[in-house]
Amino acid sequence: EWLSYDKTPETRAEVQQLLDENKIEQLNKILGKHMTFGTAGLRARMGAGYACMNNLTVQQATQGFCAYLELVDPLVYNKGVVVGCDARHHSREFARITAAVFLAHNIPVYLFRDICATPHVPFTLTTKGCSAGVMVTASH
């Protein structure tokens, strides 16, 4: 299933190698359960699988967030969301994926052009009157 959804060569190769080497325990560890959203957001090591941070899990989490926002704030289509990121590994890529998913749901996005400090996201959310904000960072 993972290989049919994942479009990122590095994480596809990671799963394919585990399959080729018949590493069932490791495959179960990364594919057997999904990350959970906690008080610090999504937190996991970067790598392939539903239990790790990667392009696919960011996309899926954002799709879930879109569905939630569409239920709790029908004005999200007018108010939009804010997306920011820091300078850490994959932050920009994850922020762009997040923005793309919102846009695919016809939700306007205020995406910071460059890295930003975490407080910029809630400040922009408040000043622009957005429905929600996402900050891609390894810190909280």
Side-chain angles (χ1 to χ4, degrees):
E1 177 184 77
W2 174 266
L3 292 174
S4 67
Y5 296 139
D6 189 14
K7 305 302 180 209
T8 307
E10 296 82 7
T11 48
R12 287 180 58 81
E14 185 179 331
V15 169
Q16 189 61 58
Q17 181 176 355
L18 292 171
L19 284 168
D20 293 346
E21 295 172 1
N22 202 32
K23 294 190 174 179
I24 303 303
E25 186 177 319
Q26 183 64 19
L27 284 165
N28 284 334
K29 186 176 178 182
I30 65 170
L31 299 173
K33 72 175 204 173
H34 290 257
M35 285 182 291
T36 56
F37 191 90
T39 57
L42 292 174
R43 294 180 62 102
R45 76 170 184 83
M46 292 199 197
Y50 300 115
C52 301
M53 290 296 299
N54 55 66
N55 292 353
L56 180 60
T57 56
V58 169
Q59 179 182 352
Q60 290 176 331
T62 307
Q63 288 171 338
F65 193 30
C66 285
Y68 171 78
L69 288 173
E70 290 164 351
L71 287 175
V72 300
D73 188 1
L75 296 177
V76 69
Y77 299 106
N78 296 21
K79 294 167 33 177
V81 298
V82 181
V83 179
C85 67
D86 65 11
R88 291 178 174 95
H89 195 54
H90 292 294
S91 288
R92 276 198 181 125
E93 185 176 8
F94 290 167
R96 287 182 180 132
I97 291 167
T98 299
V101 171
F102 282 121
L103 291 170
H105 283 257
N106 296 313
I107 297 172
V109 175
Y110 294 94
L111 174 63
F112 282 89
R113 242 180 262 160
D114 205 353
I115 61 171
C116 69
T118 300
H120 289 158
V121 171
F123 176 80
T124 304
L125 187 150
T126 302
T127 58
K128 297 288 187 185
C130 295
S131 296
V134 174
M135 180 65 190
V136 179
T137 178
S139 63
H140 50 75

